[in-house]
Amino acid sequence: MRSKLILFLTITLLLSAEMFAQKRPNILLIVSDDHAYQAISSYGSKLMETPSIDRIANEGVRFNKAYVTNSICGPSRAVILTSKYSHKNGFRDNINPRFDSTQNTFIKELAKTGYQTAWIGKWHLGSQPQGFSFWKILPGQGSYYNPDFLTMDGGRVRQEGYVTNIVQDEAEKWLNTRDTSKPFCLVIGHKNTHRTWMPDIQDLRRFDSQEFPLPVNFYDDYNGRAAAQVQDMSIEKTMLLDYDLKMYEDSSKMLDHGFFKRMTPAQRQAMLDYYRPVYDDFKNRKLKGQALTEWKYQRYMRDYLATSVSLDRNIGRALDYLDKNGLAENTLVIYISDQGFYLGEHGWFDKRFMYEESFRTPFLMRFPGKVQPGIVNDNAVMNLDLGPTILQAAGVKVPPDMQGESILPLVTGSHAKGREAVYYHYYENGEHAVSPHFGVSNGRYKLIRFYKRVESWELFDLQYDPKEEDNVINDRHYKRIRRKMEKELNRQIKKYEDTDAIQVLKAAGEW
Ligand code: SGN
Ligand code: CA
């Protein structure tokens, strides 16, 4: 009798532990690369349709004012993992690209409480992932075609196909074989839409009949903005006809490049079939000056948007997987890019600057039963907040040294107000010649201190100058605003303990 009672109690206990485990939400975090909100229809883009990302918006919340702390790949992922600014997690730039994986992360916090965790796809953090039940990552930037993957056993495997499709396949494989008695947290890291924007074969011709309007500040003269004057990321001067836009003088040169060399004969043929006629037409036109730059812009848009089509399609596959497997109701889905990107604004591609297009990032979230469908949120939220948000959703305590804040209170009906100002610090002083800078934005005004490459201050009034072309730092009408923003900047620097910024200001006698 007694042993029967013990057996009964044990089973009940096990069952309730299982039920508790089941109740905790699963987490699906999809992190893309260089995906601009200007290319997402839910954000109002007229460039293309993104039905899958729009679906997350319609069934959840779209954050209109989502920012990154440091607009570049590795550093942004390190911020997401640790919920700490670059000066705290140590991963400041891609020049010394090595994330200290022994640090605490939201993944490790989840794992401690019984979550199964995985990272599949682009990682770009130099060191091996730690604290995951499973990982399978692209080495470095990864390849669009027939990508190699690094595996947990120290191996390296090449898989045939297009990267975004394969990463989603691998994610589904892991989901199919996971331990279903535990909740999961899966991070899918996509390479799309990173340079050099190589579309999936099925999407190559997608935008051929479309002409894209030039952004209004495409011909920015960079007047009054020293850092913008010295950058090397313009469509006109920096974007390469061959390497970026696949316009090689002869096809053997094209096929010699590593991107094409690794392709199968059929993939190579598909590339030639598409790009050679474009090249022939281009050659005939004998374009120069602005006509050439504008032609480059059209080609850039066609390739960039085509890689976005594949990204959106595979996000759709992930959502469909949740539906088909009865997981949608109990899974928090988050979509974010590692940063925003310039689609011709200021005449640029790439990112890095604290100007809106790269400072902001697409960020959407679906949390059935917790977040009402179809919300648009205008609070200033950050990639820094992902960790605490996910931990709170999972009912896990947020470690006090994480610098972000859960954004759930902003979208679950409470009257939480959110942060009043956003602090930014970009460090890399290399490729694309963007001067390091830090700054603060309160939505209306933005103050930026550039250092190292150029020493300068910029102040923008975003209400009157949303395209950030008019630096009013020395305008006497903005004297009071300038002082106010300087105070805000100092407050933010102290709050996040950015000793790097303090050093810069001290050296200039400005602290
Ligand atoms: C590569 C690109 C750059 C890009 C950086 C950072 N050059 O170096 O254009 O800014 O990555 O991008 S490429 O010729 O190799 O494509 S990030 O997404 O990794 O931050
Ligand atoms: Ca990136």
Side-chain angles (χ1 to χ4, degrees):
M1 182 65 205
R2 218 181 128 213
S3 63
K4 267 193 182 163
L5 183 68
I6 289 174
L7 185 71
F8 171 76
L9 284 175
T10 319
I11 289 174
T12 323
L13 231 131
L14 279 174
L15 276 177
S16 53
E18 166 110 333
M19 270 159 61
F20 173 68
Q22 281 299 326
K23 265 209 222 133
R24 290 193 292 165
N26 302 306
I27 289 132
L28 172 63
L29 169 61
I30 305 177
V31 185
S32 65
D33 204 312
D34 294 0
H35 194 207
Y37 58 80
Q38 308 93 293
I40 298 177
S41 37
S42 158
Y43 279 95
S45 176
K46 299 275 180 286
L47 299 171
M48 67 180 289
E49 292 294 323
T50 47
S52 309
I53 296 174
D54 293 9
R55 197 184 145 191
I56 305 178
N58 295 336
E59 295 171 3
V61 50
R62 182 185 90 224
F63 292 99
N64 247 348
K65 300 262 165 68
Y67 295 93
V68 296
T69 70
N70 182 1
S71 180
I72 187 158
C73 183
S76 172
R77 282 168 182 74
V79 167
I80 290 174
L81 279 168
T82 60
S83 188
K84 287 179 184 161
Y85 271 84
S86 307
H87 61 277
K88 291 277 182 188
N89 69 42
F91 198 122
R92 291 177 175 79
D93 56 44
N94 280 345
I95 296 173
N96 305 297
R98 208 168 169 78
F99 176 61
D100 171 8
S101 279
T102 64
Q103 292 181 76
N104 195 24
T105 60
F106 76 89
I107 293 287
K108 290 184 187 173
E109 291 293 325
L110 287 176
K112 269 197 260 174
T113 71
Y115 268 78
Q116 282 219 300
T117 58
W119 188 300
I120 295 168
K122 184 159 178 183
W123 166 257
H124 203 202
L125 285 163
S127 49
Q128 283 199 348
Q130 273 188 29
F132 292 89
S133 332
F134 178 82
W135 54 263
K136 185 165 179 178
I137 55 170
L138 301 170
Q141 295 281 11
S143 299
Y144 273 113
Y145 277 87
N146 310 334
D148 288 354
F149 284 88
L150 303 179
T151 55
M152 290 179 84
D153 57 9
R156 186 178 176 120
V157 288
R158 185 167 291 193
Q159 288 180 227
E160 192 178 316
Y162 186 72
V163 67
T164 325
N165 305 330
I166 302 175
V167 166
Q168 177 58 29
D169 291 344
E170 290 300 317
E172 292 184 21
K173 257 190 230 161
W174 181 74
L175 286 170
N176 287 338
T177 51
R178 76 190 199 279
D179 176 353
T180 50
S181 69
K182 295 177 180 167
F184 69 81
C185 174
L186 166 63
V187 187
I188 299 180
H190 281 305
K191 174 180 170 67
N192 298 39
T193 51
H194 196 274
R195 194 181 182 189
T196 54
W197 319 294
M198 294 188 77
D200 189 349
I201 289 167
Q202 60 180 311
D203 302 317
L204 276 170
R205 291 171 176 78
R206 182 73 172 244
F207 295 97
D208 278 1
S209 58
Q210 245 167 281
E211 282 290 314
F212 301 97
L214 294 177
V216 292
N217 57 355
F218 187 75
Y219 288 114
D220 189 346
D221 59 9
Y222 313 130
N223 207 359
R225 283 154 294 145
Q229 284 161 21
V230 303
Q231 52 58 46
D232 179 23
M233 50 186 262
S234 71
I235 293 171
E236 182 195 355
K237 298 199 177 100
T238 320
M239 186 176 279
L240 300 169
L241 278 165
D242 47 9
Y243 177 75
D244 286 310
L245 301 177
K246 301 98 182 161
M247 296 295 106
Y248 288 84
E249 249 172 65
D250 61 82
S251 44
S252 63
K253 268 210 185 123
M254 172 168 160
L255 298 181
D256 263 355
H257 194 281
F259 298 153
F260 297 91
K261 228 178 192 161
R262 62 186 302 118
M263 292 184 176
T264 64
Q267 291 166 345
R268 253 181 259 146
Q269 193 54 50
M271 291 290 148
L272 289 176
D273 289 348
Y274 178 66
Y275 286 107
R276 290 324 287 170
V278 178
Y279 176 76
D280 293 339
D281 172 65
F282 167 68
K283 196 136 196 242
N284 276 335
R285 290 175 189 244
K286 300 190 173 53
L287 301 169
K288 283 202 180 73
Q290 287 196 351
L292 175 60
T293 310
E294 289 177 22
W295 185 90
K296 287 169 86 177
Y297 170 72
Q298 296 299 331
R299 285 305 320 164
Y300 167 43
M301 282 300 93
R302 291 200 178 111
D303 281 354
Y304 181 94
L305 298 178
T307 61
S308 317
V309 169
S310 170
L311 172 66
D312 188 73
R313 182 191 303 121
N314 280 291
I315 293 170
R317 284 181 63 202
L319 298 178
D320 289 347
Y321 181 96
L322 298 180
D323 287 340
K324 281 188 203 128
N325 291 278
L327 293 165
E329 279 310 302
N330 194 34
T331 301
L332 164 65
V333 176
I334 296 176
Y335 174 65
I336 193 164
S337 174
D338 59 351
Q339 15 57 215
F341 211 67
Y342 295 96
L343 300 184
E345 299 86 359
H346 304 282
W348 295 340
F349 66 100
D350 216 66
K351 52 256 180 178
R352 300 160 192 267
F353 277 98
M354 198 193 166
Y355 306 141
E356 291 293 293
E357 291 82 2
S358 50
F359 182 26
R360 270 175 72 189
T361 190
F363 184 12
L364 306 99
M365 183 165 99
R366 183 181 81 177
F367 200 9
K370 302 284 194 315
V371 175
Q372 294 237 316
I375 302 180
V376 175
N377 184 285
D378 284 320
N379 285 112
V381 298
M382 302 190 81
N383 60 347
L384 188 70
D385 300 331
L386 275 183
T389 303
I390 290 171
L391 290 178
Q392 193 190 18
V396 178
K397 206 169 154 277
V398 179
D401 62 344
M402 285 196 170
Q403 294 185 307
E405 292 157 40
S406 170
I407 59 180
L408 285 182
L410 302 175
V411 287
T412 48
S414 80
H415 295 289
K417 261 185 69 202
R419 58 169 66 74
E420 286 183 358
V422 181
Y423 180 64
Y424 181 81
H425 196 157
Y426 166 81
Y427 290 84
E428 189 165 308
N429 190 22
E431 196 179 8
H432 298 306
V434 175
S435 182
H437 56 289
F438 49 87
V440 66
S441 170
N442 65 9
R444 168 75 194 264
Y445 302 106
K446 187 187 289 183
L447 179 71
I448 312 177
R449 172 65 158 91
F450 288 93
Y451 66 97
K452 233 178 218 169
R453 192 174 286 262
V454 302
E455 295 285 335
S456 69
W457 287 90
E458 294 184 3
L459 177 66
F460 297 98
D461 182 341
L462 297 170
Q463 183 173 317
Y464 293 108
D465 177 30
K467 304 288 173 206
E468 296 163 289
E469 294 176 289
D470 192 11
N471 176 14
V472 293
I473 194 77
N474 294 320
D475 184 328
R476 63 188 171 83
H477 300 294
Y478 284 92
K479 227 173 169 175
R480 197 180 54 82
I481 299 295
R482 177 180 178 167
R483 266 204 298 275
K484 189 181 128 180
M485 292 305 287
E486 282 169 351
K487 264 198 202 133
E488 185 60 51
L489 180 66
N490 290 0
R491 208 173 67 83
Q492 296 287 330
I493 288 173
K494 280 187 200 141
K495 175 177 171 189
Y496 293 114
E497 302 172 331
D498 187 353
T499 44
D500 297 340
I502 294 176
Q503 257 184 22
V504 171
L505 294 176
K506 270 195 177 153
E510 293 167 350
W511 181 256

